[in-house]
């Protein structure tokens, strides 16, 4: 879906989320703790939300949201973000986008 | 039901009754089957006779005992003896039936107590704490949870076996290759538990969240349905000395990222609690109708399954990272330390449960 691809390829950290999703909230908290302010798209507040959700599913994440893109590349959902972080691979990816708190 | 004491009345009466004493008032149509209309009264044991049906056919008409001593028809005496034997036989049969019934009741009671203990251990499950008073035993067991509990029992047995094996292997200084097999086995065993929990969470997420399948001391440390990954690191790291500088750095980074992930999930859980609470309390309280609020809250609670899975994923990831950072021997020591830590917690639970208490 064009809209999703366009939004996803924006610079920086992009997070597709739903305002009601508490797991998405957890991911937001994590980014905050790491000194990153992602661009958040709440798809439940978007008129094309359902289309976007389907498009995100097709990208292969185990859950459509939360979906994290860094520098245009898909990182994945909560599982992938957590694994990456514990493996020490998340912070290097975020370095260019970290703002000092 | 006859009370046992009266069963013995006939034999006692037989002792009292002297066969030579004449009882002339016996009717020809006297029946030994307890026909009350043909009953004759024994003067001697009146009280006991009133309680017992055996007594009825042996009751004699009052007062004539002494007058009839003169005539002693043998056949009547014989008949009386026969009737007594019959009465005694019936007593014994009744006693046997009664004892049999007591035995059956006892077995039933034992079985019920066992069932009760099992369901009590399932805790939450029986609607305890909810106004689900209508949840009777008939609605009880979720097969998914029953299966999990059984599998968990086996898991613990296997865990104990593996701990012993690790201990022996480390003491015996076996080769790294052989040790690696044990380490991989230990890791797989934990991953197996996370798989089991994931299935159980789909069956009943509240059950997994409650930690009811674990012992009380383990439950004390519970975080989203299991142990805290950061706690795991705290237990393990002191047991792993000496670590290289590189390892120390990597463990430090792991501790930090683990803590950050844990905090994020904790805050997500708090948000979920707030959301569910707000949903349940929505609208006017006290109106007595709440179906929409409860239905919406149920939808939101579905997210709990994701949280439990995410927490287990974090535990698994922490274990895997440790395994990557450590040498085989260190990993073996780490698994042994972790396994023994949980064994001690389980022992603590047992001791706690059986500690002497102040009388109420």
């Amino acid at each position: 879906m064009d809209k999703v691809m366009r939004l996803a390829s924006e610079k920086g950290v992009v997070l597709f989320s739903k305002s009601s999703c508490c797991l998405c909230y957890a991911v937001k908290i994590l980014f905050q703790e790491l000194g990153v302010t992602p661009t958040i798209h709440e798809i439940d507040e978007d008129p094309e939300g359902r289309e976007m959700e389907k498009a995100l599913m097709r990208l292969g994440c185990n859950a459509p949201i939360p979906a994290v893109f860094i520098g245009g590349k898909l990182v994945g959902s909560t599982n992938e973000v957590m694994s990456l972080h514990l493996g020490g691979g998340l912070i290097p990816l975020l370095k260019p986008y970290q703002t000092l708190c | 039901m006859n009370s046992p004491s009266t069963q013995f009345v006939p034999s006692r009466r037989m002792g009292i009754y002297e066969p030579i004493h004449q009882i002339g008032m016996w009717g020809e149509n006297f029946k030994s089957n307890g026909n009350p209309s043909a009953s004759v009264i024994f003067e001697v044991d009146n009280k006991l006779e009133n309680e017992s049906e055996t007594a009825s056919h042996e009751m004699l008409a009052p007062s004539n005992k002494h007058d009839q001593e003169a005539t002693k028809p043998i056949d009547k005496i014989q008949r009386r003896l026969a009737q007594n034997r019959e009465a005694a036989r019936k007593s014994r049969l009744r006693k046997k039936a009664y004892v049999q019934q007591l035995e059956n009741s006892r077995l039933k009671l034992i079985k019920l107590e066992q069932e009760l203990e099992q369901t009590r251990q399932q805790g939450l499950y029986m609607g305890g704490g909810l106004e689900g008073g209508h949840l009777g035993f008939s609605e009880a067991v979720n097969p998914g949870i029953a299966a999990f509990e059984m599998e968990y029992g086996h898991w613990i047995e296997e865990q104990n076996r593996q701990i012993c094996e690790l201990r022996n292997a480390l003491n015996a200084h076996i080769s790294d290759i052989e040790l690696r097999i044990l380490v991989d086995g230990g890791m797989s065993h934990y991953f197996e538990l996370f798989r089991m929990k994931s299935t159980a969470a789909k069956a009943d997420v509240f059950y997994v969240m409650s930690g009811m399948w674990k012992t009380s001391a383990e439950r004390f440390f519970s975080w989203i349905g299991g142990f805290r990954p950061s706690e795991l690191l705290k237990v393990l790291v002191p047991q792993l000395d000496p670590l290289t500088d590189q390892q120390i750095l990597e463990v430090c980074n792991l501790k930090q990222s683990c803590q950050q992930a844990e905090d994020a999930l904790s805050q997500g859980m708090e948000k979920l609690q707030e959301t569910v609470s707000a949903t349940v309390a929505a609208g006017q309280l006290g109106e007595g109708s709440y179906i929409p609020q409860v239905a919406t809250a149920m939808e939101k609670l579905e997210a709990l399954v994701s949280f439990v899975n995410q927490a287990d994923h974090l535990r698994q990831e922490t274990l895997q990272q440790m395994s990557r950072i450590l040498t085989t021997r260190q990993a073996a020591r780490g698994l042994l330390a972790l396994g023994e830590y949980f064994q001690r917690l389980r022992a603590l639970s047992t001791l706690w449960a059986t500690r002497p208490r102040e009388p109420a």
Side-chain angles (χ1 to χ4, degrees):
Chain A
M1 185 202 178
D2 287 344
K3 181 164 183 176
V4 167
M5 295 322 294
R6 182 175 45 84
L7 292 172
S9 50
E10 276 175 13
K11 281 187 104 172
V13 182
V14 177
L15 170 66
F16 291 93
S17 159
K18 279 188 190 169
S19 55
S20 59
C21 170
C22 294
L23 211 50
C24 298
Y25 181 78
V27 172
K28 290 171 193 166
I29 294 286
L30 182 61
F31 280 132
Q32 196 179 311
E33 182 129 355
L34 299 179
V36 169
T37 314
T39 311
I40 302 173
H41 300 289
E42 307 280 8
I43 65 175
D44 57 335
E45 292 168 356
D46 191 306
E48 291 174 278
R50 293 200 60 150
E51 284 298 308
M52 293 171 82
E53 189 168 342
K54 284 188 204 155
L56 287 167
M57 284 272 254
R58 279 195 294 271
L59 290 173
C61 310
N62 58 338
I65 52 112
V68 174
F69 291 81
I70 301 179
K73 276 187 68 185
L74 173 65
V75 170
S77 190
T78 329
N79 265 9
E80 289 75 27
V81 171
M82 297 287 183
S83 298
L84 196 59
H85 188 42
L86 259 64
L90 185 61
I91 299 217
L93 285 180
L94 294 175
K95 262 231 160 40
Y97 314 107
Q98 274 175 321
T99 55
L100 296 165
C101 306
Chain B
M1 185 58 175
N2 288 336
S3 63
S5 56
T6 59
Q7 309 286 11
F8 294 101
V9 166
S11 48
R12 259 191 286 145
R13 234 186 277 135
M14 282 177 80
I16 294 160
Y17 174 79
E18 288 165 33
I20 52 168
H21 280 171
Q22 172 44 245
I23 324 259
M25 292 291 285
W26 287 24
E28 291 296 295
N29 54 357
F30 181 86
K31 291 188 179 72
S32 60
N33 293 337
N35 184 345
S37 59
S39 56
V40 285
I41 303 160
F42 234 157
E43 251 188 324
V44 184
D45 281 346
N46 255 328
K47 258 195 210 149
L48 298 164
E49 286 155 22
N50 289 340
E51 295 169 35
S52 160
E53 54 179 90
T54 44
S56 61
H57 62 273
E58 295 194 273
M59 296 205 275
L60 301 171
S63 84
N64 301 329
K65 193 168 149 204
H66 298 290
D67 293 343
Q68 283 139 17
E69 274 189 32
T71 50
K72 303 163 192 186
I74 304 295
D75 59 340
K76 283 186 181 168
I77 293 166
Q78 292 299 331
R79 204 185 328 168
R80 167 43 73 95
L81 287 174
Q83 282 160 355
N84 282 354
R85 277 194 293 276
E86 183 60 33
R89 190 181 74 86
K90 285 198 181 131
S91 271
R92 283 192 293 274
L93 284 175
R94 262 195 297 276
K95 181 191 177 187
K96 196 171 167 197
Y98 178 63
V99 168
Q100 188 62 44
Q101 200 184 57
L102 280 179
E103 280 298 309
N104 290 343
S105 298
R106 195 178 75 96
L107 289 173
K108 217 176 181 186
L109 183 64
I110 291 171
K111 186 161 168 279
L112 278 175
E113 279 178 338
Q114 281 175 352
E115 276 178 36
L116 192 62
E117 192 49 51
Q118 270 180 7
T119 53
R120 193 177 282 139
Q121 279 170 14
Q122 289 173 20
L124 261 186
Y125 233 30
M126 294 310 294
L130 303 174
E131 270 93 43
H134 61 278
L135 284 175
F137 279 82
S138 55
E139 283 183 64
V141 189
N142 179 328
I145 298 302
F148 174 80
E149 291 206 324
M150 207 179 65
E151 283 178 320
Y152 184 68
H154 296 149
W155 189 90
I156 290 285
E157 280 169 22
E158 174 62 17
Q159 179 74 342
N160 290 334
R161 193 195 63 76
Q162 283 189 5
I163 291 169
C164 269
E165 201 174 27
L166 264 175
R167 196 180 289 126
N168 294 337
L170 284 168
N171 287 336
H173 304 291
I174 67 172
S175 74
D176 266 16
I177 297 172
E178 288 169 300
L179 207 51
R180 188 78 233 164
I181 296 173
L182 291 181
V183 167
D184 287 345
M187 297 287 284
S188 297
H189 197 55
Y190 278 110
F191 301 162
E192 179 61 33
L193 178 62
F194 300 141
R195 263 196 300 280
M196 283 161 51
K197 282 171 70 184
S198 179
T199 309
K202 287 193 199 98
D204 184 351
V205 70
F206 279 126
Y207 177 82
V208 176
M209 282 288 297
S210 74
M212 283 313 294
W213 38 283
K214 293 193 286 184
T215 62
S216 42
E218 288 173 294
R219 248 178 281 141
F220 176 59
F221 293 99
S222 196
W223 174 80
I224 315 186
F227 54 85
R228 277 182 186 274
S230 56
E231 189 66 38
L232 188 160
L233 291 174
K234 278 193 207 122
V235 166
L236 272 187
V237 172
Q239 306 294 328
L240 299 171
D241 290 336
L243 293 170
T244 66
D245 286 344
Q246 177 65 17
Q247 284 179 323
I248 292 172
L249 179 64
E250 289 188 73
V251 168
C252 196
N253 287 340
L254 180 60
K255 269 191 176 176
Q256 190 180 37
S257 53
C258 184
Q259 190 66 57
Q260 285 165 338
E262 212 175 284
D263 287 345
L265 279 183
S266 292
Q267 292 197 50
M269 274 292 282
E270 275 177 37
K271 183 83 162 37
L272 183 60
Q273 275 189 331
E274 283 170 27
T275 312
V276 172
S277 179
T279 307
V280 167
Q284 290 281 64
L285 292 166
E287 274 177 353
S289 96
Y290 46 72
I291 303 298
Q293 290 89 331
V294 169
T296 312
M298 274 180 66
E299 278 172 34
K300 296 197 186 288
L301 274 174
E302 294 289 337
L304 204 51
V305 180
S306 310
F307 271 96
V308 170
N309 286 339
Q310 223 32 249
D312 275 347
H313 175 77
L314 197 60
R315 291 173 188 117
Q316 179 156 330
E317 205 54 46
T318 306
L319 284 170
Q320 271 174 325
Q321 288 301 322
M322 279 306 280
S323 177
R324 182 186 62 79
I325 294 170
L326 300 174
T327 65
T328 304
R329 192 150 294 263
Q330 285 170 328
R333 283 222 310 276
L335 278 175
L336 178 58
L338 193 63
E340 201 177 285
Y341 178 71
F342 288 119
Q343 272 183 339
R344 290 187 190 185
L345 281 183
R346 288 192 280 273
L348 172 60
S349 305
T350 309
L351 278 177
W352 181 261
T354 55
R355 78 194 189 286
R357 267 166 257 250
E358 294 287 310

